[in-house]
Amino acid sequence: MLIYFLEDDEQIAYIIEKTITHAGYLQKGFDLAKDFLKALEKQTPDLVILDIMLPDMSGFEVIKKIREFYKDLPIIMLSALNSEMDKVKALDMGADDYITKPFGILELTSRINAKLRSVGSKEIYVKGNLELNRGIYKCYINNLEINLTTKEFEILALLLKNEGKVVTKETLFNEIWQMDNSVETRTLDVHMKSLRAKIKDADFEIETIRGVGFSL
């Protein structure tokens, strides 16, 4: 799973980065809201950690922009603002959790794990006659189970999660193989060909965006 965090304090950002990595998740950090929002348009993470006091935009504004397009994306606020009104405002605007600074690493890890467990238990994607259930790792077309390999399953899940967007080859390599595009392109092509053959009866197709990636 991938976590984005938006924090402009270098020391705190370093702690957040190490906490996420140690917990076993992929992470990507930003110190400017504009860069964070630009990245969010290209790839949707599984969870977001936000500061409120940022150099170019308030964290409250960032929450508002996120919720315009991502109703269910989990958001954890991590802020030095510790008044009850700040917490209430953040939660009312769409944050799922609020942690005040200074924070404990174990507490942050626990909150992240709890939120991602909640997300994972609800990760069922339905598109047309296809249903993909990440909770039980099964795929169905017209209620008949389709036997996918782990890599095929994860590729399809990533495409469904980003429906309507182009998922780049780089993103697939990073998230599915957890490495950069040093993996041979042919490896991805083979998996994609097999996946397409297995879901040929689905109500949609996987489109190749030449030189970039794939999209539903």
Side-chain angles (χ1 to χ4, degrees):
M1 287 185 164
L2 173 65
I3 298 174
Y4 280 179
F5 65 92
L6 180 54
E7 171 62 63
D8 64 315
D9 185 300
E10 289 186 10
Q11 290 185 328
I12 296 177
Y14 177 80
I15 294 171
I16 296 173
E17 176 187 337
K18 294 303 178 185
T19 299
I20 294 172
T21 302
H22 188 264
Y25 304 113
L26 299 173
Q27 53 76 28
K28 188 176 291 187
F30 307 86
D31 56 5
L32 293 176
K34 65 176 184 178
D35 295 333
F36 165 82
L37 293 170
K38 189 179 296 182
L40 193 62
E41 291 178 1
K42 297 179 180 178
Q43 183 179 5
T44 308
D46 297 281
L47 182 143
V48 167
I49 298 174
L50 296 179
D51 189 10
I52 290 178
M53 296 183 291
L54 298 164
D56 61 336
M57 185 184 296
S58 164
F60 294 123
E61 294 180 68
V62 177
I63 295 177
K64 185 178 180 180
K65 288 184 177 295
I66 291 174
R67 287 295 178 241
E68 286 177 2
F69 301 100
Y70 307 93
K71 303 300 183 185
D72 300 318
L73 178 59
I75 301 174
I76 296 178
M77 301 302 298
L78 194 60
S79 175
L81 301 178
N82 58 8
S83 75
E84 183 178 8
M85 289 305 299
D86 290 318
K87 295 177 183 178
V88 169
K89 182 177 180 180
L91 295 171
D92 284 348
M93 291 187 72
D96 297 282
D97 203 348
Y98 195 106
I99 304 174
T100 56
K101 300 175 183 176
F103 58 92
I105 292 175
L106 292 179
E107 179 188 8
L108 178 58
T109 302
S110 178
R111 300 280 189 101
I112 290 172
N113 287 337
K115 192 53 60 180
L116 289 179
R117 278 198 303 271
S118 174
V119 172
S121 65
K122 299 175 183 177
E123 262 190 304
I124 298 176
Y125 300 105
V126 177
K127 182 170 176 60
N129 60 345
L130 182 142
E131 177 183 311
L132 194 77
N133 189 321
R134 295 197 71 173
I136 57 176
Y137 240 72
K138 291 185 181 294
C139 176
Y140 304 91
I141 294 179
N142 295 323
N143 296 319
L144 297 176
E145 185 176 348
I146 307 299
N147 185 25
L148 301 179
T149 67
T150 301
K151 290 286 191 282
E152 291 165 355
F153 188 97
E154 292 298 338
I155 289 170
L156 182 56
L158 191 58
L159 290 170
L160 287 166
K161 180 179 178 181
N162 292 278
E163 181 182 353
K165 300 178 182 178
V166 177
V167 178
T168 66
K169 292 182 179 181
E170 180 183 7
T171 297
L172 287 163
F173 288 135
N174 283 333
E175 296 215 17
I176 309 302
W177 281 270
Q178 296 188 349
M179 59 183 68
D180 59 26
N181 56 7
S182 59
V183 179
E184 288 188 12
T185 301
R186 176 168 170 73
T187 300
L188 176 57
D189 292 340
V190 169
H191 281 84
M192 196 61 72
K193 181 179 180 180
S194 176
L195 174 59
R196 281 172 164 149
K198 291 181 179 181
I199 64 168
K200 62 181 180 2
D201 293 327
D203 291 338
F204 59 89
E205 294 182 355
I206 299 173
E207 180 183 1
T208 298
I209 311 301
R210 190 172 298 276
V212 181
F214 304 90
S215 178
L216 295 188

